């Protein structure tokens, strides 16, 4: 998101906050939020070298979102009833899609999309085919659990296509052929689907919770706003639908104190992201800087600069999203609680990207460890801990990208968490019954916080650089080697 984009989102949110003071505005609030979020999906999508893809990816986002609701809708809203109740929302979304497509006649370049939209007839055919497919899905009664598993698998497969460079390049080549472009020029950066990672997490959350019977019944309009809520498209946080819908259904105008707190968070986030993080980016560790720095001191400086930059950048985005949400009466979940000031790695991960780690804990780590413990031949506890933590952190690394450097970053933290767990257990056994030794003093806390911070900072070397050899070279230079 650019500086201008953040300001436009905030201005729109403040406009809604002002209009919410009027009783007649209540029935327009949700449709306006949906319309703004739909348009944001198109507007934020970056320009891509494949012709028309900056239009088709947002359109596919909307189709998948409606499809997700059809699969998870509660029993009272299935079949023809679902279509009747959802018709106004469907018509609004279709109208917005066609409206964006018609902007091709306003300019030779993109107006809402990054480039000029494709031919209107193509868009109409896609919309009609999607509506037919969704209608057929809605007629499946009762909806078997197998469909929910299939849908979850398809989302994971699509995610793999977007994150695995070889698959992304292969897909890009096929799309280039369809559009009459040179497939030989295909690359992994040809397909950048803005916001899909976070939308995929929300989709899987609703699919899995429908399987377990925990998902509340929501309307299509509520489901779509939850999936593509415009303040959270770029960098989250990953909210839960039951919490989000409570805010959405609360039509009381935002209190002055809430708007004031939102303004404070928004300004703080803008300063973090567009001032501090962007300044640090000039000296932070990167492939280009790593090739030019040879002294250990300057290399440590670049590593620490990246450590601060990624926190300020990411937490700044979160502050902007939370502040923008507060303008409209939404209390989005926190994502960061001073993670670099925590005395051990477990506490760091309990306070860094909280909604992501909570998601993985709920939908991967806990089911995996329960399965290992409840197997016919239960896995020893120590192996449950090692496999669970290592697999979870490697998956989090692969969420950022299915490349060896991200896998190494995940493994670094997985092994670190396991070591921290074993150290904590050893201390508990050794200090059993000695209260004074259980609670570390200020010096002990300072030392453990310093050690944790540096472990995390060194881990960012894997994250910031594109290849394992370059990362190993940087580690060598950090500790006085030639690299």
């Amino acid at each position: 998101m650019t500086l201008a984009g953040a300001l436009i989102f905030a201005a729109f949110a403040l406009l809604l906050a002002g209009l919410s003071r009027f009783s007649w505005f209540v029935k327009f609030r949700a449709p306006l939020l949906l319309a703004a979020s739909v348009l944001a999906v198109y507007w934020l999508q970056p320009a891509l070298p494949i012709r028309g893809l900056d239009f088709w990816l947002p359109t596919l986002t909307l189709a998948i979102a409606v499809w997700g609701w059809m699969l998870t809708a509660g029993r009272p809203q299935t079949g023809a009833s679902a279509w009747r109740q959802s018709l106004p929302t469907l018509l609004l979304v279709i109208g917005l899609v066609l409206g964006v497509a018609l902007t091709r006649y306003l300019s030779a370049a993109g107006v809402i999309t990054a480039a000029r939209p494709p031919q209107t007839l193509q868009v109409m055919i896609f919309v009609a085919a999607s509506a037919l497919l969704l209608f057929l899905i809605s007629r499946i009664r009762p909806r078997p659990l197998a469909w929910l598993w299939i849908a979850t698998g398809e989302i994971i497969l699509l995610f793999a296509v977007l994150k695995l460079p070889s698959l992304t390049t292969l897909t890009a080549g096929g799309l280039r052929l369809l559009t009459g472009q040179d497939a030989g020029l295909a690359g992994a950066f040809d397909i950048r689907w803005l916001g899909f990672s976070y939308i995929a997490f929300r989709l899987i959350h609703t699919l899995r919770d429908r399987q377990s019977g925990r998902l509340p019944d929501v309307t299509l309009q509520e489901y779509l706003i939850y999936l593509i809520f415009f303040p959270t498209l770029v960098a989250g946080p990953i909210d839960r639908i039951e919490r989000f819908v409570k805010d959405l259904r609360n039509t009381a105008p935002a209190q002055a104190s809430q708007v004031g707190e939102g303004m404070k968070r928004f300004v703080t986030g803008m300063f973090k992201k567009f001032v501090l993080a962007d300044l640090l980016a000039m000296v932070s560790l990167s492939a280009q800087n790593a090739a030019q720095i040879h002294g250990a001191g300057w290399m440590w400086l670049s590593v620490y600069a990246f450590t601060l930059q990624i926190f300020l950048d990411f937490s700044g985005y979160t502050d902007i999203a939370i502040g923008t949400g507060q303008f409209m009466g939404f209390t989005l979940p926190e994502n960061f609680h001073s993670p670099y000031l925590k005395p051990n790695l477990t506490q760091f991960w309990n306070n860094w990207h909280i909604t992501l780690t909570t998601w993985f804990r709920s939908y991967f780590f806990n089911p995996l460890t329960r399965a290992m413990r409840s197997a016919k031949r239960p896995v020893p506890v120590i192996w449950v801990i090692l496999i669970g933590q290592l697999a979870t952190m490697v998956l989090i690394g692969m969420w950022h990208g299915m490349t060896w450097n991200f896998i190494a970053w995940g493994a670094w933290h997985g092994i670190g968490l396991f070591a921290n767990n074993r150290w904590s257990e050893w201390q508990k056994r050794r200090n059993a019954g000695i209260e004074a030794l259980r609670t570390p003093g200020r010096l002990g806390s300072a030392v453990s916080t310093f050690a944790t911070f540096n472990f995390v900072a060194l881990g960012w070397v894997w994250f910031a650089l594109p290849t394992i050899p370059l990362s190993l070279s940087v580690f060598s230079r950090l500790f006085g080697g030639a690299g």
Side-chain angles (χ1 to χ4, degrees), residues 50-179:
I50 299 175
R51 195 176 298 119
L53 199 57
D54 60 301
F55 175 87
W56 290 118
L57 288 181
T59 304
L60 191 57
T61 295
L62 300 176
I64 290 173
V66 178
W67 167 69
W69 178 78
M70 286 294 181
L71 289 175
T72 59
R75 192 171 295 275
Q77 295 179 341
T78 55
S81 174
W83 284 94
R84 285 194 298 270
Q85 295 177 23
S86 308
L87 187 58
T89 300
L90 285 170
L91 292 177
L92 174 59
V93 172
I94 291 171
L96 289 168
V97 171
L98 294 177
V100 172
L102 290 173
T103 61
R104 67 174 279 109
Y105 300 108
L106 299 179
S107 172
V111 176
I112 295 175
T113 52
R116 192 181 186 191
Q119 294 288 338
T120 308
L121 180 60
Q122 296 177 5
V123 178
M124 293 176 68
I125 292 172
F126 179 85
V127 169
S130 298
L132 177 61
L133 178 61
L134 293 169
F135 178 74
L136 293 175
I137 291 174
S138 74
R139 303 300 295 178
I140 300 171
R141 245 192 250 197
R143 197 162 287 113
L145 290 178
W147 273 91
L148 298 174
W149 279 114
I150 291 170
T152 302
E154 288 176 347
I155 293 169
I156 294 172
L157 178 61
L158 185 56
F159 189 84
V161 169
L162 296 173
K163 293 294 183 178
L164 189 61
S166 58
L167 286 179
T168 308
T169 302
L170 183 64
T171 304
L175 293 175
R176 281 176 171 271
L177 287 175
L178 287 176
T179 57

Side-chain angles (χ1 to χ4, degrees), residues 176-216:
R176 281 176 171 271
L177 287 175
L178 287 176
T179 57
Q181 295 174 266
D182 186 358
L185 298 176
F189 290 100
D190 284 359
I191 305 175
R192 285 168 291 151
W193 196 339
L194 185 133
F196 180 79
S197 294
Y198 291 97
I199 292 170
F201 279 129
R202 297 182 189 113
L203 281 167
I204 294 174
H205 151 55
T206 59
L207 291 168
R208 294 290 295 121
D209 278 17
R210 172 55 67 201
Q211 287 176 309
S212 62
R214 296 193 303 265
L215 187 71

Side-chain angles (χ1 to χ4, degrees), residues 393-417:
M393 294 312 303
V394 167
L395 274 181
I396 291 176
M398 293 171 68
W399 172 69
H400 292 88
M402 292 185 184
T403 56
W404 286 112
N405 53 307
F406 288 123
I407 292 173
W409 174 77
W412 175 273
H413 279 279
I415 294 170
L417 284 168

Side-chain angles (χ1 to χ4, degrees), residues 241-254:
I241 193 168
E242 58 269 25
R243 197 223 61 79
F244 181 86
V245 168
K246 288 180 181 178
D247 286 349
L248 182 59
R249 292 174 179 173
N250 180 12
T251 57

